[in-house]
Amino acid sequence: QVQLVESGGGLVQAGGSLRLSCAVSGNPFSINGMGWYRQAPGKQRELVATSSSGRNTNYADSVKGRFTISRDKNTVNLQMNSLKPEDTAVYYCYARIAVFRGLALREDDYWGQGTQVTVSS
């Protein structure tokens, strides 16, 4: 079974830093993209940052200059600096993964369980 395992969430004061990590376990044939989304209380889930299989990256405007996404093999990280109370949310790891299912190779979206990030004012 392919799974995404997240770590690194927690409570931090405004201006502080956290580093999130997500690792793909199981036997993926290929990981074609990874990223981070977040969902604040009472709001829709939004994209934070992504990294393609070619290591191209993009960021939400609200986190540019503060967050950095990096990827190595089956792991993606999110370094979060200069955190603000508005960054408080549950952060979800995302990956688009190709796996063998019997005779066929298929590509699907996978999500982590989410990790809570709380920034105090």
Side-chain angles (χ1 to χ4, degrees):
Q1 292 283 98
V2 172
Q3 291 183 308
L4 276 57
V5 181
E6 302 155 321
S7 62
L11 174 64
V12 66
Q13 291 184 342
S17 298
L18 285 173
R19 186 175 180 86
L20 306 183
S21 182
C22 176
V24 177
S25 64
N27 61 333
F29 178 79
S30 64
I31 302 172
N32 300 325
M34 298 189 76
W36 293 92
Y37 290 70
R38 68 186 182 187
Q39 188 166 21
K43 295 188 176 182
Q44 293 181 321
R45 187 174 298 187
E46 65 175 350
L47 185 147
V48 177
T50 60
S51 176
S52 71
S53 60
R55 303 299 190 269
N56 294 319
T57 60
N58 66 85
Y59 298 88
D61 288 340
S62 60
V63 307
K64 286 181 179 177
R66 300 188 297 120
F67 291 10
T68 303
I69 189 170
S70 60
R71 184 179 163 195
D72 182 32
K73 295 185 178 179
N74 69 331
T75 301
V76 65
N77 301 299
L78 185 69
Q79 179 66 45
M80 304 185 293
N81 298 326
S82 301
L83 283 162
K84 305 175 180 179
E86 60 218 67
D87 295 318
T88 295
V90 177
Y91 284 70
Y92 296 91
C93 180
Y94 160 84
R96 189 158 182 83
I97 300 172
V99 297
F100 280 108
R101 303 292 192 192
L103 299 176
L105 182 69
R106 63 176 293 176
E107 192 175 68
D108 291 299
D109 297 328
Y110 290 80
W111 293 89
Q113 292 280 3
T115 183
Q116 177 70 48
V117 172
T118 302
V119 184
S120 62
S121 60

